[in-house]
Amino acid sequence: MTYRIVHYINQFYAGIGGEEKADYAPEVREGVVGPGMQIQKLLENDAVVVGTVICGDGFYGENTEEARAKCLEMIAALKPDAFVAGPAFNAGRYGFACGDIAAAVGEKLGIPTVTAMYHENPGVELFSKKTYIVATGDSARAMGQALPAMTKLLHKLVMKEEMGPARLEGYIHRGMRKSFFHEKSGAERAVDMLLAKLRGEPYRTEYEMPVFNKIPPAPPVKDLKKAKIALISSGGIVPKGNPDHIRVSSAESYGAYDISKLEDMTPENYESIHGGYDREWANIDPDVVLPLDVMRELEAEGVFAKIHPVFYTTTGTGTAVAHAERFGQEIGELLKNAEVDAAILTST
């Protein structure tokens, strides 16, 4: 039996264009396009790539529900036995699109799905439990290693072969654990690991735990009356019309806006674009999320010296930790250079 495969790629790998074509709407083409040619070659006679679905990274990110629905319709019409997306390497928007459509295809069509990304791609954090993600290098230089790994995993899934551990099969851990019998007891294995650690030998824990950065709190403000204070929000408050196109969820960017001449945030000049809460009251009075009005009152009373003339904003829902850390580092550097003494970070 020859299995039917559908491949998903973005506008760049389809040869349509770069960032200037990121708003390219979903399209389906018969057969292989771009990297799909090598995928077909690697699959040999076991499977055939019957079609390629293409969508611009910007279109998918800014119109996710519409893009997902259109792509799903195109994919379903091709009646695939399996689905492959990418590889996306470390391209954040492409990784989001590959992960999202692969997860949706797996859920709606009930077929195996595979994509591939660099481990720091935000798509890994969002979708590693919903689809198989092959670990790749950080750029297209790793294409030669990524495609064989993807097709090998895809073949194994289509043939319903037993899947081994992530570290052996080459995919990123999905957070799933299987029980099996071991020749040594847990106590013996624990002692073996401890001895290996003491001898400086390599060892591997059987129960990996997440590692979180420990950030020491900043010292308190010495003299609040002389302090310059900045406003930051993850509540999605942006100028009317969202001029920088910050995403409603899974944000990859933040905005910086001048409030030096602004006393109050009104629905005429600001709005919330956050996709994770009911925005009704925030859009009636944006100050409920970013309290500029109250801060101006405190500034006038002399509680502190000055409000920093620029505020920073993004949306927090679904945003990958890697992006959030980058936002914090970049904004922190800007505030430090501006000699800001403290910041108030509002959420939702």
Side-chain angles (χ1 to χ4, degrees):
M1 177 179 178
T2 302
Y3 290 93
R4 298 169 63 85
I5 308 294
V6 173
H7 186 206
Y8 174 91
I9 55 176
N10 67 0
Q11 82 285 353
F12 177 78
Y13 286 104
I16 295 166
E19 188 60 31
E20 77 282 0
K21 294 292 185 180
D23 60 349
Y24 197 83
E27 173 194 354
V28 62
R29 297 184 188 177
E30 185 178 351
V32 297
V33 179
M37 298 180 185
Q38 182 64 14
I39 289 175
Q40 181 63 78
K41 183 178 179 180
L42 291 165
L43 288 169
E44 297 178 340
N45 297 323
D46 293 326
V48 58
V49 178
V50 294
T52 305
V53 173
I54 302 159
C55 183
D57 290 335
F59 188 95
Y60 203 106
E62 294 173 17
N63 311 277
T64 302
E65 292 186 7
E66 178 187 353
R68 184 192 302 128
K70 287 184 176 180
C71 291
L72 272 173
E73 182 180 358
M74 295 172 179
I75 294 162
L78 293 168
K79 299 180 180 178
D81 298 301
F83 175 80
V84 60
F89 305 109
N90 200 27
R93 289 182 302 169
Y94 192 20
F96 172 81
C98 286
D100 186 82
I101 191 60
V105 168
E107 179 184 357
K108 299 295 184 181
L109 304 186
I111 61 175
T113 63
V114 174
T115 184
M117 305 177 203
Y118 184 57
H119 70 275
E120 291 184 1
N121 191 308
V124 171
E125 183 180 344
L126 293 169
F127 301 109
S128 62
K129 293 184 179 180
K130 300 177 181 179
T131 183
Y132 282 94
I133 302 178
V134 171
T136 72
D138 65 352
S139 72
R141 292 190 301 271
M143 186 72 78
Q145 293 78 44
L147 294 181
M150 291 173 71
T151 52
K152 179 182 178 182
L153 194 67
L154 185 67
H155 180 269
K156 198 162 192 174
L157 289 167
V158 168
M159 300 302 291
K160 295 182 172 56
E161 297 178 9
E162 184 177 355
M163 188 63 66
R167 69 180 187 276
L168 300 181
E169 299 288 359
Y171 62 90
I172 293 172
H173 201 289
R174 304 183 72 197
M176 300 176 183
R177 303 185 185 279
K178 295 182 179 180
S179 298
F180 63 94
F181 288 100
H182 199 285
E183 65 274 12
K184 289 186 177 182
S185 69
E188 290 176 295
R189 301 197 307 276
V191 170
D192 288 343
M193 280 191 286
L194 175 59
L195 292 174
K197 182 177 181 179
L198 292 174
R199 290 192 294 260
E201 298 172 354
Y203 68 95
R204 184 181 184 87
T205 178
E206 296 177 7
Y207 196 80
E208 296 182 12
M209 301 296 292
V211 178
F212 299 102
N213 292 331
K214 293 183 179 179
I215 310 297
V221 176
K222 292 181 179 179
D223 188 349
L224 188 59
K225 289 184 178 297
K226 296 180 180 179
K228 183 196 291 189
I229 297 179
L231 290 174
I232 309 172
S233 181
S234 62
I237 299 297
V238 297
K240 200 78 172 179
N242 191 16
D244 292 313
H245 306 291
I246 297 172
R247 288 168 56 170
V248 301
S249 66
S250 305
E252 296 182 351
S253 63
Y254 59 86
Y257 304 108
D258 186 352
I259 52 172
S260 59
K261 295 181 174 62
L262 200 64
E263 296 293 319
D264 186 20
M265 291 197 163
T266 70
E268 287 72 38
N269 56 24
Y270 280 85
E271 64 177 333
S272 172
I273 48 92
H274 198 289
Y277 67 92
D278 185 342
R279 303 190 298 267
E280 179 180 1
W281 290 104
N283 286 330
I284 291 173
D285 181 9
D287 287 301
V288 301
V289 177
L290 195 89
L292 179 62
D293 54 351
V294 175
M295 290 295 289
R296 287 295 184 204
E297 292 175 8
L298 295 173
E299 182 184 38
E301 293 171 10
V303 174
F304 56 87
K306 184 180 180 181
I307 296 176
H308 184 54
V310 175
F311 90 93
Y312 298 90
T313 183
T314 189
T315 56
T317 183
T319 297
V321 171
H323 283 316
E325 288 181 341
R326 177 173 60 82
F327 299 166
Q329 291 166 356
E330 292 178 2
I331 294 170
E333 187 67 24
L334 291 168
L335 297 181
K336 183 179 179 180
N337 292 339
E339 297 183 339
V340 170
D341 300 289
I344 293 176
L345 172 60
T346 62
S347 185
T348 56

